Amino acid sequence: MCGIVGVISKAPVNQLIYDALLLLQHRGQDATGIVTMEGTKCFMHKARGMVRDVFRTRNMRGLPGKVGLGQVRYPTAGNAYSEEEAQPFYVNAPFGIVLVHNGNLTNTPALRKELFDVDRRHINTDSDTEVLLNILAHELDMAARDLSLSPDPLSPEEVFNAVRAVHKRLKGSYAVVALIAGYGLLAFRDPYGIRPLCFGVGSAEDGDAVMVASESVAIEGTGHKVSRDVAPGEAIFVDMQGVLHAQQCADNPSLNPCMFEFVYLARPDSVMDGVSVYQARLNMGETLAQRLISTMPPNEIDVVIPIPESSRPSAMQLAQKIGKPYREGFVKNRYVGRTFIMPGQGVRKKSVRQKLNAIGVEFKGRNVLLVDDSIVRGTTSKEIVQMARDAGARKVYMASAAPPVRFPNVYGIDMPTNAELIAHNRSIEEIRKFIGADALIYQDVAAMKRVVGALNPLIKSFEASCFDGHYITGDVSAADFDAIATQRKTQSSQAEEEDSPDRSRLALQGQETP
């Protein structure tokens, strides 16, 4: 899960991309990068760290041009500690292409072999984004050689033909923004529409910019107007004159947005595929309340307390539904990285109590219902339940606005192995005992899909594999999970070697070591 943005304008875009990345910072805190183009020359700056730390005035001055793109990274594949794998990625032939990607390819090993054996292209990192870039570069090269389409070096029709070929080769989830030097901006989305992507336009005062981004908040928050979502399998190409071309490039596209975007990942003020993230979370709170009422008497609860931030809408709706007061019982330190997003379980454990502090008056002598957006590994929930008890709670109940996370996710969310999931092969009672709660209530999978889907009848299904075990692309096997587990184990060992006291302290502050 990453945040991506691309802009083509009649005015300089470096500040605009920076502002958009700040609005997408919640989607990735590990690394960030911006590339701009002036004429056919690329200017790039990228590094590990958050947007505000990576880009200084001198860096921004070195990013001229009226077209560009950027990314905030949250690594789920490749080497999370490698600065080389920060995006954007660049390849010089054909034309000169620079690319950012949100998602995860599930057939990366096969593609690497094809690139080496057939396409004669070299891959220098472990990143699937570099693989994707080289696949696109090869297919653009092949499409541009078909002179029957157009006498021009590269026409929109040739670009769309290249994307068609890319769709036939890639498996998994991907939302992509690329710049083709001297030609324009290309954006496309996987045929299942798993990862989000939308675009919008600015006013004449803003240089008639066209912006593509992971979430609508990046477009609206920079003063632009959202046009629509990029459809599954669709590609849009904006030429250097600002003319937008769009075409469906997949054979059998279908919309299956990632349910975890609505549960946790996206900002509540975003609208994705016609669904308000905030309203989706309110609806989840209502069905969670119904589930709670059928599980335990609400009169045993004195107060409903959310675990900041994503759970607030669900907790408010639940409290209203059961007729109990809603209170803020935890204060969040906004200058500590998100524990879900932090590479390394050791860092994740250490940061919980630095990240949250309990307001004792809301807990002392009360039976409290804590509401979280989801429970993934269980370690954070265990710490928070104990914090509530330490603050004087008489009883601590826990409710999750999402169903049990029982299966790995292979489409770009950091929950890829069974061993890391508290709900895998465990009963609700076993999970309750592990986290130390007096009662544990989970959302129902079918109810969650129903109430979120009701917000846009055009959505017939969701990518919800971490809850229901159904992998929408149909190409995921047990062997894939074994390979991922091996890779994760190797990366964990590397992280332990690098996790010196100074590095751990700085990582918690969202900073990089010198």
Side-chain angles (χ1 to χ4, degrees), residues 190-466:
D190 70 75
Y192 294 94
I194 298 172
R195 298 263 72 86
L197 196 64
C198 60
F199 69 93
V201 296
S203 65
E205 295 177 357
D206 298 323
D208 294 317
V210 177
M211 176 182 283
V212 184
S214 294
E215 294 187 32
S216 61
V217 68
I219 296 173
E220 293 175 334
T222 52
H224 297 73
K225 183 178 180 181
V226 176
S227 298
R228 62 177 175 86
D229 295 283
V230 177
E234 184 184 25
I236 66 169
F237 179 68
V238 187
D239 63 30
M240 295 304 291
Q241 288 69 49
V243 179
L244 189 147
H245 310 262
Q247 195 168 116
Q248 178 54 252
C249 298
D251 293 334
N252 297 294
S254 61
L255 181 57
N256 306 268
C258 173
M259 180 60 80
F260 217 73
E261 292 279 357
F262 301 104
V263 168
Y264 174 79
L265 300 178
R267 268 181 50 153
D269 45 344
S270 283
V271 176
M272 292 181 164
D273 294 306
V275 175
S276 161
V277 175
Y278 182 75
Q279 187 62 55
R281 291 174 184 169
L282 288 177
N283 288 8
M284 289 182 209
E286 186 141 339
T287 57
L288 182 61
Q290 294 168 0
R291 184 84 166 178
L292 182 145
I293 291 169
S294 67
T295 304
M296 62 178 289
N299 59 14
E300 294 184 7
I301 299 167
D302 295 321
V303 65
V304 177
I305 295 175
I307 297 171
E309 302 273 351
S310 307
S311 66
R312 283 194 173 112
S314 296
M316 284 190 291
Q317 196 73 356
L318 182 150
Q320 183 182 48
K321 187 75 175 178
I322 66 172
K324 295 295 179 179
Y326 168 91
R327 293 287 185 270
E328 292 287 341
F330 293 103
V331 174
K332 182 178 181 180
N333 181 352
R334 299 178 186 275
Y335 303 99
V336 177
R338 290 163 70 175
T339 57
F340 179 92
I341 223 165
M342 287 181 178
Q345 186 77 340
V347 175
R348 195 176 291 116
K349 282 182 177 179
K350 293 174 188 174
S351 72
V352 177
R353 287 184 180 254
Q354 293 171 304
K355 178 181 176 181
L356 292 176
N357 189 49
I359 301 173
V361 68
E362 296 295 349
F363 292 92
K364 191 171 183 180
R366 290 177 170 177
N367 295 343
V368 299
L369 173 65
L370 305 181
V371 179
D372 207 349
D373 49 68
S374 58
I375 300 172
V376 179
R377 295 169 176 87
T379 50
T380 299
S381 299
K382 185 175 184 178
E383 285 287 325
I384 290 172
V385 168
Q386 187 57 50
M387 286 173 65
R389 294 198 189 282
D390 293 344
R394 187 166 56 240
K395 288 190 176 181
V396 182
Y397 310 119
M398 175 73 80
S400 168
V405 178
R406 298 191 183 280
F407 306 95
N409 183 287
V410 298
Y411 299 123
I413 301 175
D414 189 21
M415 48 178 75
T417 63
N418 292 331
E420 294 176 288
L421 305 177
I422 185 64
H424 182 73
N425 284 340
R426 289 186 178 91
S427 67
I428 304 298
E429 178 61 16
E430 288 173 325
I431 301 168
R432 182 196 68 76
K433 288 180 179 179
F434 176 84
I435 67 174
D438 293 291
L440 176 61
I441 301 94
Y442 272 108
Q443 179 76 263
D444 177 71
V445 177
M448 176 183 66
K449 291 180 180 180
R450 184 183 71 253
V451 297
V452 178
L455 299 174
N456 182 2
L458 295 178
I459 300 176
K460 303 304 179 185
S461 68
F462 291 91
E463 196 299 299
S465 56
C466 58

Side-chain angles (χ1 to χ4, degrees), residues 106-107 171-172 411 471-477 480:
T106 55
N107 63 334
K171 302 287 186 183
Y411 299 123
Y471 296 92
I472 197 75
T473 57
D475 64 325
V476 181
S477 67
D480 294 320

